[in-house]
Amino acid sequence: MMAAAALIMVGVFAGFTLTDDIILKTVGFALAVGVLLDAFLVRTLLVPAAMLIIGRRVWWMPPGMNGLVPTLDIEGEALATRLASRAPTDQGFGDRRTDERGHRASQDHVRRPACWPRGQLPDGSRKLSC
């Protein structure tokens, strides 16, 4: 993605070299070379090499900033662990657990949501049973 954007920018800046104005040619050439070197030499060679040399210290953050940075849970691992901690531990045959309404839970028991569609009204909207 970055290489494609860099190639587009190099193409645009290289187009500046086709004009008759010497200043525009110079600026276009300098920007094209600069973007090309930045994209392919710096970002693909020098930055990863420096990160490899520095190691885990690259990702160091001052302790006072932990409260300022939001916690992002993109993959949902925190939700999965929270749901796993709430999950019932005994899934055996003689399970006597009950749900929040006091109904006995069984292996074939399927809980309905609080409201579910029951039918259709004459105006096309759906009736809800709650």
Side-chain angles (χ1 to χ4, degrees):
M1 189 72 137
M2 182 230 11
L7 288 177
I8 291 170
M9 290 173 64
V10 167
V12 170
F13 294 144
F16 292 165
T17 61
L18 302 176
T19 64
D20 294 330
D21 188 11
I22 191 70
I23 295 175
L24 199 55
K25 279 185 179 187
T26 307
V27 169
F29 179 75
L31 286 174
V33 170
V35 167
L36 198 63
L37 287 176
D38 176 60
F40 292 104
L41 182 68
V42 173
R43 294 179 193 254
T44 59
L45 230 76
L46 297 178
V47 171
M51 290 176 70
L52 184 67
I53 291 169
I54 296 171
R56 293 190 54 85
R57 290 175 293 174
V58 169
W59 305 108
W60 177 82
M61 183 170 50
M65 291 194 58
N66 281 337
L68 299 174
V69 179
T71 303
L72 298 178
D73 186 24
I74 296 170
E75 297 292 326
E77 292 175 9
L79 178 63
T81 55
R82 190 170 62 213
L83 291 176
S85 68
R86 289 187 193 171
T89 56
D90 185 15
Q91 296 291 329
F93 176 70
D95 196 8
R96 299 276 183 214
R97 289 177 293 107
T98 58
D99 62 6
E100 63 271 359
R101 293 177 293 187
H103 298 262
R104 277 193 50 212
S106 63
Q107 294 295 332
D108 58 347
H109 176 70
V110 178
R111 272 185 37 200
R112 289 188 175 176
C115 295
W116 62 93
R118 191 173 62 136
Q120 199 159 7
L121 296 173
D123 66 349
S125 61
R126 307 269 317 216
K127 284 185 192 176
L128 290 180
S129 293
C130 295

